Amino acid sequence: MDGGAAAAAAAAEGTPKDQAAASYTYWVRERTSDAAPPPVPRKLNPEDQTNNQTTAHLGSAWNSAGTWEEKSLDKWAKTRIKELLVSVGSLELSGGKAEITEVTISSGDAFLVTVRNKKRVGYTYELTLGVKGEWLVGAETKVVKGHIDIQEFSFGELDGLQIKARLSDNKDLEQKDKHRITQDFQLFLQPLREKLLQFEEELKLKN
């Protein structure tokens, strides 16, 4: 074989290195054709934006870390307790009827605590309620005044609420009539508990 024929044969066959490169290029093309298409940009819809919103921050704006923060709710709580308890209205009792005429808060306070972006409400109070009513004593209807003392109670403890009744004007009443009237005062316990439960539910909604 002359020199020209040998060169042509070598060029036709190619070197092993050239053959490997051609094979690799073919493999890459095959893999690329099977690969997933590139991502296409998509505009967010309102639902996506809602799902990506962060949890609402509780507490003051300056306390962005959500650390301990306490807020007094005492002014609102005292006003609301007085409104609710006076709204109990008149109760029909044994031989008479009575109603709560005034509410005095002896001690206590209400508060809202925010810790780690979670809120907790609470309160502790002692109350004295003024009561006025009419009872049939013998053959005569008499106006009687008294008080109901509500011993210290706190948030979530209303099942154990206790009241103590006392008469403030009883000079002309016999002992048996005093006992009957003070027992009638105990009938205020359940309506008072229901009003205070309503107060607790409203307190939970405070921010």
Side-chain angles (χ1 to χ4, degrees):
M1 180 181 297
D2 58 20
E13 293 178 1
T15 64
K17 183 177 180 180
D18 293 337
Q19 291 176 353
S23 176
Y24 173 76
T25 302
Y26 174 77
W27 179 81
V28 170
R29 287 174 181 170
E30 289 296 317
R31 294 288 296 175
T32 303
S33 64
D34 294 337
V40 178
R42 181 174 66 87
K43 184 178 181 180
L44 290 176
N45 57 42
E47 183 178 354
D48 294 328
Q49 295 175 355
T50 300
N51 293 335
N52 289 331
Q53 287 180 347
T54 57
T55 303
H57 171 67
L58 299 177
S60 300
W62 59 265
N63 191 14
S64 58
T67 54
W68 177 279
E69 179 183 348
E70 184 169 345
K71 176 182 178 181
S72 175
L73 300 176
D74 198 44
K75 183 178 180 180
W76 171 85
K78 287 179 176 178
T79 300
R80 189 59 180 143
I81 285 176
K82 291 178 180 180
E83 292 172 348
L84 288 170
L85 298 190
V86 170
S87 72
V88 167
S90 179
L91 293 187
E92 295 293 332
L93 308 171
S94 65
K97 60 182 180 179
E99 63 181 353
I100 296 172
T101 57
E102 62 178 341
V103 177
T104 301
I105 299 179
S106 308
S107 63
D109 65 346
F111 55 85
L112 165 65
V113 173
T114 303
V115 183
R116 298 185 183 276
N117 210 32
K118 294 183 179 180
K119 71 174 185 177
R120 178 175 64 87
V121 294
Y123 69 86
T124 300
Y125 284 116
E126 288 187 12
L127 310 177
T128 298
L129 314 179
V131 180
K132 180 180 179 180
E134 295 179 349
W135 274 265
L136 183 62
V137 179
E140 183 182 357
T141 299
K142 292 188 176 183
V143 175
V144 178
K145 296 180 181 180
H147 293 88
I148 293 176
D149 296 319
I150 303 181
Q151 301 174 6
E152 183 177 279
F153 61 99
S154 301
F155 188 94
E157 299 179 355
L158 293 177
D159 287 343
L161 191 70
Q162 297 182 10
I163 63 175
K164 182 178 180 181
R166 52 190 172 90
L167 302 181
S168 56
D169 185 10
N170 55 14
K171 295 179 181 179
D172 56 348
L173 294 176
E174 295 183 6
Q175 188 61 38
K176 63 177 182 179
D177 294 320
K178 294 177 184 179
H179 179 73
R180 176 169 62 92
I181 294 172
T182 54
Q183 286 298 109
D184 281 348
F185 277 23
Q186 292 292 327
L187 297 177
F188 277 98
L189 177 59
Q190 185 56 30
L192 291 173
R193 180 184 286 119
E194 291 174 358
K195 292 296 183 180
L196 290 172
L197 284 170
Q198 180 182 341
F199 164 74
E200 286 193 354
E201 291 302 314
E202 294 180 10
L203 183 64
K204 292 177 185 178
L205 301 177
K206 301 299 289 184
N207 292 316

